[in-house]
Amino acid sequence: MLVQPGEDGVHLRTCPLCEAMCGLQISVRDGKVHQIRANPDDAWSGGHICPKGTTLGAIHEDPDRIRQPLIKINGKWREATWAEAFHRCSELLLPIIEKYGISAVTAYTGNPLAHNFSLGRYIGILLGMSGMPITYSPGTIDQWPKNLSSHLMYGGWWTIPVPDIRRTNLLVIMGANPHASQGSLMAMPNVMGEIAKVRQRGSVIVIDPVRTGTAARADEWLPITPGTDAAFLLAVVHTLFTENLVRLGNAEEIVEGIETLARIAHDWTPERVAPVTGIPAERIRSLGRQLAATQRAAVYGRIGLCNQEFGGLSSWLVDVVNILTGHLDVPGGVMFPRPTAWSVTCQPQLGLEGGVAKFGRWSTRVRGAKEVLGQAPVSCMAEEISTPGDGQIKALITVAGNPVLSTPAGHELDKALAGLEAMISVDNWINETTRHADVILPGQSPLEQPHHDDLILQFAVDSFANYSPPVFLPDPSHPGEWEILIRLTGLCTGTPAEDVLVEAIDDGFFDYLSYTQGFDGAALRKRYDHGGPERILDMTLRTGYFGDKYGKNPDGLTLHKLRKNPDGINFGPMVPRLPDILGTPDQKIRLAPDYLIDDLTRLAHRMERTPDDLVLVSRRHLRSNNSWMHNVPALMKGRDRCTIHMHPDDAARCGVASGDTVTVQSEAGSIDIPVEITKEIKPGVVSIPHGWGHGQPETRVTTANAHAGVNTNILSPPHFTDEISGNAAVNGIPVTVRPAGQLSSRGGTVGAS
Ligand SMILES: Nc1nc2c(c(=O)[nH]1)N[C@H]1C(S)=C(S)[C@@H](COP(=O)(O)OP(=O)(O)OC[C@H]3O[C@@H](n4cnc5c(=O)[nH]c(N)nc54)[C@H](O)[C@@H]3O)O[C@H]1N2
Ligand SMILES: Nc1nc2c(c(=O)[nH]1)N[C@H]1C(S)=C(S)[C@@H](COP(=O)(O)OP(=O)(O)OC[C@H]3O[C@@H](n4cnc5c(=O)[nH]c(N)nc54)[C@H](O)[C@@H]3O)O[C@H]1N2
Ligand code: SF4
Ligand SMILES: [Mo]
């Protein structure tokens, strides 16, 4: 029944759109996608799917999707051959590098690369070998605080424990809404189905300023004041110590710093934090008792805990509570996954081995923001482009990113991009960001390339492996994105993009990766008749835990084996991995790293601050995917999703009614947006989704432009960060709301930005 790439019939395929990684059956008729359904036999997802998964055909066939490179000359786009396009990249970039050096060039590498077969594996080449000293990513408006706490505690910045949901009886969800997101840094199919099962066995508690779709399906919703989770968790830790509930379980022999922790937690009584967090002291204490008394319990924190003022502390304290209650590395607690293939993106950072806090190895030119784990806040990018002087950024490469919509003060970045001397985008659409490019190099469609998740499987609750061949054959002249990245890397080092020796660099990368696993790459290469991402996939599978080790373990995993098992192979749930997984030199878990402890002074100041009248948080919707799926007509049906949610008490206070357009103003800017009044949000908190603000001139995203919405990141102050990680605080932004058109209390006229 299964057919070859390019043939009509039913193709099995993993959805590359989110961490649920659903197995799909894609039926093709007359060379077009006829229908997409869940694959009930998929060894990972067993029949789960969401509305986005059924639209992969629409993405593939989207008339706006770029199929041929585009070159902009005198403000006009024209299609070009690949040779012309690479040549144009060289014409643009080489003189800049010659004149100002490579430090005048930067890159922004966006979210879809984590889900993309080529980009995920090859982004390391661009970032590691191009010589660009500073690059940016949405990492610092996402999980950087978690990378930070993992690096400091476990000695590995991607050593992130994942809730073992399928075996837990008590799940506390903080700052995550899997009902929309389908889970993040916690990969499993049908996460809401799993949450329902936890409730049958025990209970689920959601701690979030918003009564989200997840909270509505939980046993309890604890509405917390945005940005106060660290204080809340410290009070839980306080309770565990004062009530003698600390049980380290598996971690007993390998933790360090427990005395320090007990000492610092002493001051953080539930009574002290209750008024600020909005959660009663007694509930904080009882939660501590509940966690300590439940054998299989897990606390899970995600983006609401990262994208906030105390992201680093909150991310750390989630793990601390799990450790103190004996729930680290045990079934039903939080565990470290054992991926079938290791990810090239999770290689240790050079110079940061051992989990030491050697940050600030450089700082940004304009703001002086310090480097943390190799990056500075993404909000620095605009000022680095627009501020003249030595070291000014003159050229930008974007790879699968739309920072104009996704990063703080994106409207300022929008202006800055217009002033660049050169911009090259590896992207499939002309959108709010890429409209500023001089050259756009499109990737293949998600159905024209193979698939096997690289990064996401590092956070999977099962050790799972699968491989999807392409559904459609790409135009043979269309290079894979891995080749595009290699050419751009070579270009950054001074070789014209068209002359870059792609194979040699690819071989070198393969050899390096093989070497990290103790293999001789040159010898291994003899086994393959071609390079590229499939060769890397085979090698990462074979040298992984379940791999055949190139013959030493003959029954082990290979890509060949996966091709013969199109429903995938599931090696079962997570298993204990301590202490082997620790990257700290003494193989101990650092419970109380100085770098984090030092930040408690900032949190103590926060406790004294006058409460804000109204603060803004972000939200996600199941039928969106950050900024880039609004061009899919089927996902845009129904009511307007780009609205501000507001509690009736706040609406009355601000004099606004449901359906009104209101002006929302922060220190950074103002936007006009329709209001939806709802009791499902804590009074004093409003929420707006990100990724909107389409309808910009010279973009080519027809459907998105017809449902433009507004860009909430106009309201995100670029300097509002979790200072210790540099991560953006897009939650907890003080705002005012008033009927649109009304003068602001400060006097001036205010309209949409
Ligand atoms: N459909 C869909 N799926 C997606 C995405 C998408 O855009 N659409 N994006 C993907 C990406 S890139 C990511 S990173 C993941 C994110 O996945 P999740 O972490 O599940 O993200 P959200 O759904 O935004 O949920 C964040 C929650 O944090 C809450 N929150 C805000 N501030 C605070 C706070 O201070 N404290 C607490 N306790 N809670 C707070 C918000 O109200 C919100 O409910 O989703 C991924 N999956
Ligand atoms: N206020 C607020 N802002 C946020 C967040 C929030 O919660 N609140 N969340 C943040 C988070 S977690 C994230 S991850 C970021 C996302 O930030 P970005 O990564 O900048 O944004 P995306 O919308 O994911 O951009 C995707 C880009 O990739 C392109 N693209 C899609 N598929 C492909 C492909 O296969 N190949 C190539 N080459 N390009 C492709 C799209 O055209 C688009 O330009 O947003 C962040 N911004
Ligand atoms: S939940 Fe939806 S978007 Fe995510 S992998 Fe499954 S089908 Fe794709
Ligand atoms: Mo993200």
Side-chain angles (χ1 to χ4, degrees):
M1 176 181 103
L2 281 183
V3 290
Q4 293 302 309
E7 290 180 3
D8 277 9
V10 177
H11 298 254
L12 295 185
R13 177 98 199 152
T14 296
C15 176
L17 296 173
C18 88
E19 293 194 27
M21 299 180 287
C22 299
L24 307 176
Q25 291 179 346
I26 302 188
S27 87
V28 174
R29 274 192 206 163
D30 303 325
K32 284 193 176 308
V33 173
H34 169 65
Q35 192 178 44
I36 299 187
R37 286 196 294 207
N39 173 11
D41 301 323
D42 188 87
W44 160 262
S45 63
H48 186 64
I49 190 169
C50 89
K52 290 191 297 304
T54 62
T55 67
L56 285 167
I59 294 172
H60 174 72
E61 271 142 36
D62 182 351
D64 289 339
R65 185 171 61 79
I66 307 171
R67 281 134 171 107
Q68 199 56 38
L70 295 175
I71 294 182
K72 198 196 280 158
I73 306 280
N74 297 328
K76 284 243 166 308
W77 286 112
R78 74 164 174 88
E79 284 195 350
T81 63
W82 282 93
E84 283 173 318
F86 285 128
H87 179 66
R88 182 68 191 138
C89 293
S90 311
E91 268 179 2
L92 287 160
L93 225 51
L94 289 175
I96 294 176
I97 297 170
E98 189 156 319
K99 188 161 168 202
Y100 307 102
I102 187 68
S103 60
V105 186
T106 193
Y108 174 86
T109 54
N111 170 273
L113 71 83
H115 303 269
N116 178 301
F117 191 66
S118 289
L119 294 176
R121 293 181 175 77
Y122 282 78
I123 200 67
I125 291 206
L126 183 75
L127 300 181
M129 290 173 57
S130 64
M132 288 180 279
I134 301 181
T135 60
Y136 299 91
S137 80
T140 55
I141 184 167
D142 191 337
Q143 82 297 330
W144 224 248
K146 197 74 201 174
N147 293 137
L148 173 71
S149 65
S150 286
H151 171 76
L152 294 172
M153 296 176 81
Y154 312 118
W157 63 312
W158 287 108
T159 307
I160 296 175
V162 170
D164 184 22
I165 290 204
R166 292 202 177 117
R167 290 178 290 189
T168 201
N169 298 332
L170 170 60
L171 178 65
V172 180
I173 301 175
M174 301 183 73
N177 182 17
H179 184 250
S181 68
Q182 301 297 303
S184 178
L185 296 181
M186 173 180 78
M188 82 191 69
N190 192 12
V191 59
M192 291 312 292
E194 296 298 341
I195 285 174
K197 287 189 204 155
V198 179
R199 291 188 66 188
Q200 283 166 9
R201 296 190 299 267
S203 69
V204 175
I205 301 166
V206 171
I207 304 179
D208 195 301
V210 179
R211 188 167 179 270
T212 58
T214 309
R217 287 158 186 78
D219 296 278
E220 191 180 2
W221 171 45
L222 295 174
I224 192 166
T225 306
T228 65
D229 303 85
F232 169 84
L233 289 163
L234 273 168
V236 173
V237 173
H238 173 96
T239 306
L240 297 174
F241 279 112
T242 51
E243 300 193 8
N244 194 21
L245 298 172
V246 173
R247 301 283 180 275
L248 293 169
N250 276 11
E252 182 87 56
E253 303 294 312
I254 47 168
V255 296
E256 172 216 271
I258 191 127
E259 297 78 17
T260 314
L261 201 59
R263 181 170 49 75
I264 58 120
H266 181 78
D267 295 339
W268 293 87
T269 63
E271 284 68 23
R272 178 180 172 203
V273 309
V276 178
T277 58
I279 301 182
E282 196 36 48
R283 186 62 190 107
I284 300 176
R285 282 187 208 285
S286 62
L287 182 68
R289 291 175 201 137
Q290 219 177 331
L291 284 166
T294 310
Q295 202 195 353
R296 295 179 166 215
V299 184
Y300 166 60
R302 199 37 292 262
I303 206 160
L305 259 60
C306 286
N307 279 349
Q308 57 142 295
E309 216 181 333
F310 297 98
L313 288 180
S314 308
S315 298
W316 163 57
L317 286 160
V318 163
D319 286 21
V320 166
V321 169
N322 283 322
I323 294 170
L324 296 184
T325 50
H327 296 127
L328 179 70
D329 203 39
V330 291
V334 293
M335 304 185 79
F336 299 102
R338 199 169 47 155
T340 49
W342 52 277
S343 170
V344 303
T345 35
C346 295
Q347 290 289 294
Q349 284 206 4
L350 293 177
L352 277 181
E353 296 86 357
V356 283
K358 273 192 268 173
F359 306 137
R361 291 171 294 175
W362 45 264
S363 340
T364 61
R365 176 180 68 104
V366 179
R367 194 188 300 185
K370 74 171 175 207
E371 161 273 343
V372 177
L373 291 170
Q375 287 196 17
V378 66
S379 58
C380 295
M381 199 164 52
E383 68 210 26
E384 293 295 328
I385 295 170
S386 58
T387 312
D390 247 12
Q392 182 180 7
I393 294 294
K394 304 283 187 183
L396 170 69
I397 298 172
T398 71
V399 181
N402 191 2
V404 166
L405 296 192
S406 31
T407 65
H411 57 309
E412 298 295 340
L413 180 66
D414 186 51
K415 287 186 217 151
L417 295 184
L420 282 167
E421 286 184 19
M423 177 168 160
I424 297 167
S425 291
V426 183
D427 207 287
N428 297 355
W429 283 273
I430 310 180
N431 62 20
E432 301 71 25
T433 296
T434 58
R435 71 186 177 119
H436 293 291
D438 301 291
V439 181
I440 305 182
L441 305 169
Q444 295 159 348
S445 104
L447 298 183
E448 287 171 339
Q449 48 187 312
H451 189 72
H452 170 282
D453 279 283
D454 178 23
L455 189 57
I456 307 305
L457 284 166
Q458 312 300 308
F459 311 106
V461 294
D462 284 339
S463 297
F464 178 70
N466 66 359
Y467 170 80
S468 315
V471 175
F472 298 111
L473 291 169
D475 174 341
S477 74
H478 193 155
E481 283 158 293
W482 61 277
E483 180 178 334
I484 300 175
L485 290 187
I486 289 181
R487 290 196 183 273
L488 293 177
T489 304
L491 175 57
C492 287
T493 63
T495 311
E498 57 277 28
D499 298 339
V500 169
L501 299 175
V502 172
E503 243 174 70
I505 296 187
D506 185 35
D507 286 350
F509 187 48
F510 180 85
D511 291 355
Y512 165 72
L513 293 172
S514 307
Y515 166 79
T516 66
Q517 306 303 304
F519 284 87
D520 173 1
L524 290 188
R525 275 195 276 115
K526 298 204 176 92
R527 297 163 176 263
Y528 297 91
D529 56 15
H530 67 283
E534 276 161 313
R535 182 169 70 178
I536 294 182
L537 170 60
D538 188 50
M539 188 266 286
T540 54
L541 286 165
R542 296 177 85 163
T543 56
Y545 303 101
F546 306 94
D548 81 337
K549 309 282 190 274
Y550 286 101
K552 268 196 222 139
N553 175 25
D555 294 331
L557 200 50
T558 62
L559 178 54
H560 180 69
K561 205 164 180 178
L562 288 184
R563 287 181 195 270
K564 290 203 295 190
N565 289 271
D567 293 320
I569 305 176
N570 196 331
F571 292 88
M574 295 182 282
V575 295
R577 297 195 62 197
L578 285 175
D580 298 347
I581 194 156
L582 298 175
T584 45
D586 51 0
Q587 288 222 315
K588 293 238 152 94
I589 297 172
R590 304 219 171 80
L591 267 182
D594 290 342
Y595 187 76
L596 297 171
I597 302 290
D598 290 348
D599 199 36
L600 291 170
T601 320
R602 198 167 60 95
L603 184 65
H605 287 140
R606 165 70 182 82
M607 303 296 290
E608 311 306 323
R609 205 155 80 192
T610 322
D612 295 301
D613 240 12
L614 209 53
V615 294
L616 171 68
V617 298
S618 292
R619 71 170 188 271
R620 280 179 164 71
H621 293 270
L622 182 62
R623 298 164 79 91
S624 289
N625 199 3
N626 297 320
S627 76
W628 73 276
M629 288 189 70
H630 298 148
N631 209 40
V632 178
L635 295 176
M636 300 306 290
K637 294 192 182 129
R639 33 188 200 114
D640 187 6
R641 300 198 291 273
C642 187
T643 60
I644 182 168
H645 286 179
M646 204 171 183
H647 190 272
D649 295 354
D650 293 321
R653 212 156 41 94
C654 299
V656 302
S658 229
D660 282 2
T661 298
V662 298
T663 299
V664 188
Q665 180 150 14
S666 75
E667 141 200 346
S670 88
I671 59 172
D672 282 6
I673 186 171
V675 65
E676 273 185 273
I677 294 174
T678 166
K679 286 195 174 143
E680 316 286 278
I681 192 164
K682 183 178 165 65
V685 180
V686 291
S687 97
I688 304 181
H690 77 284
W692 300 86
H694 310 294
Q696 300 303 314
E698 282 145 45
T699 52
R700 197 169 87 196
V701 276
T702 315
T703 306
N705 286 346
H707 304 264
V710 284
N711 179 2
T712 190
N713 279 318
I714 290 174
L715 300 170
S716 311
H719 291 258
F720 190 39
T721 59
D722 168 40
E723 283 168 22
I724 57 170
S725 64
N727 198 82
V730 288
N731 293 301
I733 301 170
V735 289
T736 59
V737 175
R738 61 179 184 279
Q742 211 171 76
L743 292 186
S744 85
S745 51
R746 285 191 233 142
T749 43
V750 182
S753 295

